[in-house]
Amino acid sequence: MSPSLETFSNCFQGLLPAQLFTCSLDGVPNAAYLSHVEYVDAEHVALSFQFFNKSRRNIAENPRALVNVIDPDTGQGWSLQLLYERSEISGALFDRMALRIEAIASYCGLKGVFKLRAADVYRVLSIAPLAEECGSPRGGVSQHAAGLDPVFTVRALQDLSNRINEADSLESLVDSILAGLEESFGFRNTMILVPSEQEGVLVTIASRGYPENGVGAEVRTGEGIVGMVAEARKPIRISGLMRGMLYALAMSKAANLPETTLRQRVPLPGLPNPESQLGVPLLVRGELVGVLCLESEIPYRFHEEDKKSIELLGSYLAIAIQNMQLQERAGDVGDPAAPERTPVANPPLSSEPGSTATPREVTYYATDETILVDGEYLIRGLPANVLWRLLNIRESTGREEFTNRELRLDKSLKLPEWKDNLESRLLLLRRRLEQKCPDIRIVPRARGRFALEARGRVRLTTQP
Amino acid sequence: MIDGALASFLEEGLSIHIGARDSRLQPSGARAAAVMVASDGREMVVYVPDLAASRILPDLEANGQVAVSFGRPVDDRACQVKGVVTSIRKAEPAERAVITAQWQGFMRQLELIGIPSDLALGWANWPAVAVRIRVTAVFEQTPGPLAGTPIA
């Protein structure tokens, strides 16, 4: 068999639908579109079996099949002669294929609607180029977007590694990771989410390349590509997302399902028309530290080597993030010997215009553990409780300097004793304030120490 | 068999594939460039690029069994025509305009789903052979549970 099947992974991204030809035992041919061909090993591919259609019935009678695919990098068509061998209804292959279907369906708000019945495994008997679909050196989808070759060079990795080593806080670490992914690797639209204190919810702590920074945006486990990555703890790469969504929506219409929109319910930062997405779980010894999501408007942005490299990188980033969290926790004694942080460039609030503005109305809703500022949502959960506590201490005592340690010892905040992720909650709070209420801000002073500064008057109100 | 509305859909410039099989029931298949549905809806001509013809014509000539699938990339509306080949001839120069128009429609569809038409710069649509088919059945093929339902 020549050329080898391994070199065809590009063709199996579903960017252009593959074509499946089968034939019934009584000799009637059948031609049908296929959403997805999956590489299995050097001699096998798998086709998704979602519906009991004619192709599936034909295969049950006559195991011979032909699949035509197109290489999105060159436009070259290839013909694969196949022989059906078996169907898998569990295991790694099945999970991989089901995850892709679920991720796309979830993006359309159709999660759980379309099930993969089986991964049908075929032996590849031969591969031949299609004469009528000849490749063109400038025809590829990825070539179409100039200058986007994979850039996982040693130099780029060294650059990112240096940035990570120089980071002195969780905030500078996550920012430097995203800056490095853009400047050294060319990935312009990225975000990092971490598990929130609420079970099954991830929250955005950093993003890059979007008009809205989206910090604080939440995703439930299983929702969209980020939620699916968190649920499965496996990387997910989707190319030709629009095609996949159109396919899913066509299925939903055919099944008379309720109308849905292409928009996610959770206002995550995101491109208006993402075509490629790559989500990578940040895992340390099986523990989910976060999810890194990259996206692009180019249909075939993330190649196989990108996925593998980012996956490797993900382990490194996960360790770096977890180490920083542990380091910040270990250094949060708040004593004067704690190392000074990089000075914060913000000018004093009192020097900014508008200091005498009308008081900020900060309202805490106890039942929902949510804070609204001047009637607008700011934050909820643990970061809201922390802010409320700080504002109340400041109001009753006039104190503006605080330590992470005192927050940890404050029983009213009910922080978990182990792995409270306080630093990421404070980072989230700090960024939400910057975004929604710059009159009140949290300014790091030293490791484990920070100030709560407020311009003008702040009026605190509690609601049930 | 094929009404006017369905004929208009089939001729608007879609992704078209023609399938056949040999005596051992091994399937063969290729991309087609265009179709023309006869006014009575009982026949159609499928234009297959010469470059693909050598692969599929022997099967079509040997047993006449044929399947033609049609898909509109932008919404995945799709259907499949089954039939029997009645004649095969070289496409006439006068037919080229129809092929070109449908091909351009297909290219526009690719652009609409984010695939640059440059991708298809090396794809052939001319010269072509004209495969005349007597339509025996038409099936819905839009992905989903209704795929496979007869529609004509």
Side-chain angles (χ1 to χ4, degrees):
Chain A
M1 190 171 65
S2 179
S4 70
L5 194 56
E6 290 94 327
T7 59
F8 285 88
S9 66
N10 286 358
C11 304
F12 303 151
Q13 296 306 310
L15 218 61
L16 284 156
Q19 188 72 24
L20 172 64
F21 301 95
T22 59
C23 181
S24 64
L25 206 53
D26 59 1
V28 179
N30 196 78
Y33 293 95
L34 255 183
S35 66
H36 186 195
V37 180
E38 179 82 17
Y39 172 82
V40 177
D41 59 34
E43 295 181 342
H44 297 87
V45 293
L47 310 185
S48 59
F49 164 35
Q50 287 178 262
F51 302 101
F52 287 103
N53 55 26
K54 184 63 178 167
S55 300
R56 194 60 170 32
R57 288 197 295 275
N58 284 354
I59 287 302
E61 298 176 0
N62 169 19
R64 297 165 190 271
L66 184 81
V67 164
N68 287 356
V69 294
I70 292 161
D71 185 336
D73 273 345
T74 64
Q76 177 66 53
W78 295 89
S79 187
L80 282 66
Q81 251 192 19
L82 308 178
L83 189 68
Y84 171 77
E85 281 197 349
R86 64 182 186 278
S87 294
E88 295 188 5
I89 55 168
S90 62
L93 170 67
F94 178 87
D95 290 347
R96 201 162 68 232
M97 293 180 74
L99 195 58
R100 187 182 186 278
I101 290 170
E102 278 290 80
I104 292 173
S106 170
Y107 205 91
C108 308
L110 296 168
K111 186 168 187 276
V113 174
F114 303 113
K115 291 288 179 198
L116 181 69
R117 290 176 190 273
D120 288 346
V121 180
Y122 291 76
R123 176 175 293 279
V124 180
L125 303 176
S126 69
I127 304 174
L130 292 170
E132 75 276 20
E133 288 173 351
C134 190
S136 156
R138 63 188 183 96
V141 173
S142 51
Q143 274 93 337
H144 196 65
L148 290 172
D149 296 330
V151 284
F152 282 93
T153 59
V154 171
R155 187 175 171 179
L157 288 166
Q158 271 174 341
D159 176 69
L160 184 67
S161 181
N162 289 341
R163 287 169 186 268
I164 289 170
N165 286 334
E166 284 166 14
D168 65 350
S169 66
L170 183 63
E171 180 173 16
S172 59
L173 174 66
V174 292
D175 285 347
S176 62
I177 288 170
L178 299 190
L181 285 172
E182 174 171 1
E183 288 160 22
S184 305
F185 299 88
F187 299 123
R188 296 194 188 105
N189 304 100
T190 52
M191 63 187 109
I192 293 176
L193 294 93
V194 296
S196 82
E197 71 279 3
Q198 191 184 341
E199 183 72 23
V201 176
L202 293 119
V203 62
T204 311
I205 58 163
S207 71
R208 190 174 174 92
Y210 304 102
E212 287 267 336
N213 74 28
V215 165
E218 294 178 349
V219 171
R220 292 194 171 278
T221 301
E223 265 186 1
I225 189 164
V226 170
M228 295 293 297
V229 168
E231 187 173 80
R233 303 196 169 198
K234 288 174 184 166
I236 299 177
R237 173 182 53 157
I238 299 175
S239 303
L241 182 58
M242 193 208 288
R243 260 216 57 72
M245 289 197 294
L246 289 169
Y247 192 87
L249 288 171
M251 287 197 289
S252 82
K253 277 186 192 162
N256 288 322
L257 291 168
E259 284 285 316
T260 58
T261 67
L262 292 174
R263 283 150 46 106
Q264 295 181 89
R265 283 160 287 167
V266 181
L268 262 185
L271 293 170
N273 298 302
E275 278 285 6
S276 303
Q277 288 190 322
L278 178 57
V280 185
L282 305 178
L283 295 165
V284 180
R285 287 178 291 279
E287 182 194 340
L288 186 75
V289 173
V291 172
L292 170 66
C293 183
L294 300 83
E295 58 177 10
S296 169
E297 286 173 334
I298 296 159
Y300 186 44
R301 177 65 183 88
F302 307 115
H303 291 63
E304 187 63 24
E305 55 268 39
D306 290 325
K307 182 183 165 209
K308 285 177 184 160
S309 305
I310 282 279
E311 213 175 322
L312 264 177
L313 203 56
S315 309
Y316 178 55
L317 300 181
I319 291 168
I321 290 171
Q322 193 184 57
N323 276 351
M324 185 60 81
Q325 286 172 330
L326 293 173
Q327 196 181 331
E328 291 206 335
R329 179 171 182 151
D332 77 355
V333 290
D335 68 53
E340 287 298 315
R341 298 183 53 143
T342 308
V344 176
N346 296 347
L349 276 174
S350 57
S351 68
E352 291 177 5
S355 303
T356 56
T358 49
R360 286 284 196 181
E361 295 284 350
V362 180
T363 311
Y364 178 73
Y365 290 83
T367 309
D368 300 330
E369 298 184 327
T370 297
I371 287 180
L372 271 62
V373 176
D374 296 337
E376 271 198 46
Y377 172 78
L378 176 72
I379 204 159
R380 71 180 189 90
L382 181 60
N385 293 341
V386 167
L387 178 61
W388 189 244
R389 185 81 183 118
L390 298 174
L391 286 169
N392 276 283
I393 293 172
R394 181 180 175 276
E395 187 179 70
S396 60
T397 68
R399 182 157 69 94
E400 289 193 339
E401 296 258 342
F402 300 90
T403 66
N404 292 11
R405 186 163 187 264
E406 70 176 285
L407 294 178
R408 289 203 158 95
L409 294 174
D410 190 329
K411 299 286 182 203
S412 71
L413 293 175
K414 297 175 194 159
L415 279 162
E417 285 190 16
W418 173 242
K419 290 185 179 167
D420 55 32
N421 291 328
L422 179 62
E423 284 70 26
S424 57
R425 309 289 167 250
L426 286 173
L427 170 57
L428 175 61
L429 175 58
R430 187 164 128 77
R431 294 202 156 168
R432 283 295 291 173
L433 285 168
E434 281 171 9
Q435 192 184 346
K436 293 288 176 190
C437 180
D439 292 357
I440 302 172
R441 68 187 190 187
I442 288 176
V443 183
R445 292 282 193 240
R447 178 157 292 157
R449 292 152 62 95
F450 62 92
L452 177 73
E453 295 181 352
R455 175 172 58 189
R457 285 181 298 143
V458 177
R459 193 150 58 210
L460 306 181
T461 313
T462 309
Q463 294 284 343
Chain B
M1 187 116 243
I2 296 174
D3 64 20
L6 184 56
S8 298
F9 169 66
L10 301 182
E11 293 174 351
E12 74 177 44
L14 305 175
S15 181
I16 306 169
H17 285 84
I18 182 165
R21 55 90 178 171
D22 66 12
S23 58
R24 298 171 304 131
L25 305 184
Q26 171 65 48
S28 56
R31 183 179 294 284
V35 296
M36 282 283 283
V37 180
S39 54
D40 64 2
R42 294 178 185 281
E43 286 192 318
M44 67 163 54
V45 175
V46 183
Y47 295 97
V48 181
D50 277 3
L51 285 174
S54 63
R55 226 172 45 245
I56 194 163
L57 288 196
D59 292 344
L60 294 175
E61 285 164 346
N63 59 61
Q65 293 290 331
V66 66
V68 189
S69 69
F70 299 83
R72 183 161 64 187
V74 75
D75 61 0
D76 277 310
R77 180 182 170 189
C79 69
Q80 182 179 199
V81 172
K82 299 278 179 103
V84 178
V85 174
T86 56
S87 71
I88 299 173
R89 61 172 171 81
K90 192 169 172 52
E92 300 293 333
E95 295 171 294
R96 188 170 183 182
V98 169
I99 294 173
T100 304
Q102 288 191 27
W103 188 257
Q104 285 170 348
F106 172 48
M107 292 298 113
R108 280 194 295 276
Q109 283 283 320
L110 291 185
E111 295 271 6
L112 283 172
I113 62 161
I115 307 293
S117 55
D118 284 2
L119 184 85
L121 278 177
W123 295 2
N125 61 62
W126 186 264
V129 293
V131 180
R132 181 170 288 275
I133 295 168
R134 178 167 53 78
V135 177
T136 56
V138 186
F139 297 97
E140 175 65 52
Q141 214 167 43
T142 304
L146 298 180
T149 311
I151 53 174

